[in-house]
Amino acid sequence: MSGPTTRLALDGRPIDGGLYQRIDRWAQHLPVPVQHAVAAFSAYGLALAAVLMLLGWWRARRTDSTAVARALAAPLVVVVAFAADTLLKSVLREPRPCQVLDAGRTLEACPAAGDWSLPSNHTVIVFAAAAVLWQVDRRLGGLALLLALAMGVSRVLVGVHYPHDVALGAAVGLAAGYGLGLLAGRAASLVERAREGRLRRWLTV
C-alpha cells in the first residue's frame, strides 16, 4: 500500500501530534467571531507584512543609504526565503496534521494531499520580513516580529500546521531574512549614487 500517508519522508505525529490535537480541541471552543477573526488573520495577515515593508521603505528614506538598500531589498528577501522554504518542503514531504490526525473541524480548510506542511510558508514569509525590517527600523521590526509570532500561532490554531512546522518556519525565516538583509546592506553605495539621480524622490526626502 502506498500514498502520502504511508510513504513519509517525515511523520510529524510523534513530535507534537498530541499537542496539536489539544490546541485544535481548544480552538473549537473559541467563540465563533473569534474563530472567524483568527481564520481571516491567518489567511490574509501576510498583507500586513507587505504594509510594514512599504512603511520600512518610506521611513528609511530619512536615514542612511544602508537602511534604504535593505528596505528596497525586503520584498526580494521574502521571495528568496519563500523559495528556500518551498525547496525544504519538497525534501521533507511532511503531510499536514489535518490530513493524518483526527483533528475534527479545522478553522481553515485542510489543504489537499501533496501540499506539504513543514516548514510553514506563512511563518517563513513573515519572520523573514521581520528580520530584514529589524535592520531597517527597530520599531517596525518589533511590530513585524509581533505580527510573525501571531501568524505562527494562528497557523496552528486554524489546524493546518503542527507547532514544530511553525518553529522551523520561524528559524528559516529569521536566518534568511537577517542574512540576506546584511548582504543587501552592501548595496548602500549603489543607493547613494541613485539618490543623486532621477530616483532621488524615491530614495530620500
Side-chain angles (χ1 to χ4, degrees):
M1 182 177 180
S2 63
T5 62
T6 58
R7 292 187 295 103
L8 306 181
L10 178 65
D11 184 352
R13 288 173 289 185
I15 302 174
D16 50 16
L19 176 59
Y20 165 84
Q21 288 180 306
R22 289 194 294 273
I23 293 172
D24 179 71
R25 287 193 293 270
W26 179 77
Q28 301 308 316
H29 291 89
L30 291 172
V32 173
V34 175
Q35 292 182 356
H36 289 167
V38 170
F41 171 77
S42 187
Y44 304 112
L46 293 180
L48 297 176
V51 170
L52 289 177
M53 286 190 287
L54 184 62
L55 287 173
W57 157 71
W58 187 258
R59 291 170 66 91
R61 296 178 313 132
R62 297 175 171 82
T63 60
D64 60 85
S65 296
T66 300
V68 175
R70 289 170 175 160
L72 292 173
L76 179 59
V77 168
V78 167
V79 170
V80 172
F82 175 76
D85 166 65
T86 301
L87 178 61
L88 191 55
K89 273 179 179 286
S90 69
V91 173
L92 298 175
R93 295 170 60 88
E94 178 193 73
R96 302 272 181 168
C98 52
Q99 295 168 354
V100 295
L101 288 171
D102 181 13
R105 182 183 64 82
T106 54
L107 303 188
E108 183 176 305
C110 190
D115 188 338
W116 309 114
S117 191
L118 179 69
S120 163
N121 278 336
H122 286 65
T123 307
V124 167
I125 288 170
V126 186
F127 270 97
V132 68
L133 282 174
W134 181 260
Q135 299 175 65
V136 174
D137 184 291
R138 289 291 191 265
R139 182 173 297 178
L140 285 178
L143 288 174
L145 282 172
L146 291 176
L147 173 65
L149 288 169
M151 177 59 71
V153 171
S154 78
R155 299 307 287 166
V156 180
L157 282 176
V158 298
V160 297
H161 282 291
Y162 293 104
H164 70 264
D165 297 339
V166 168
L168 182 58
V172 171
L174 287 173
Y178 196 79
L180 292 173
L182 290 176
L183 186 62
R186 297 184 178 182
S189 59
L190 296 176
V191 173
E192 192 67 37
R193 288 196 293 272
R195 279 178 146 181
E196 300 173 357
R198 295 181 179 180
L199 297 178
R200 176 180 175 82
R201 60 179 297 188
W202 302 104
L203 303 176
T204 190
V205 292

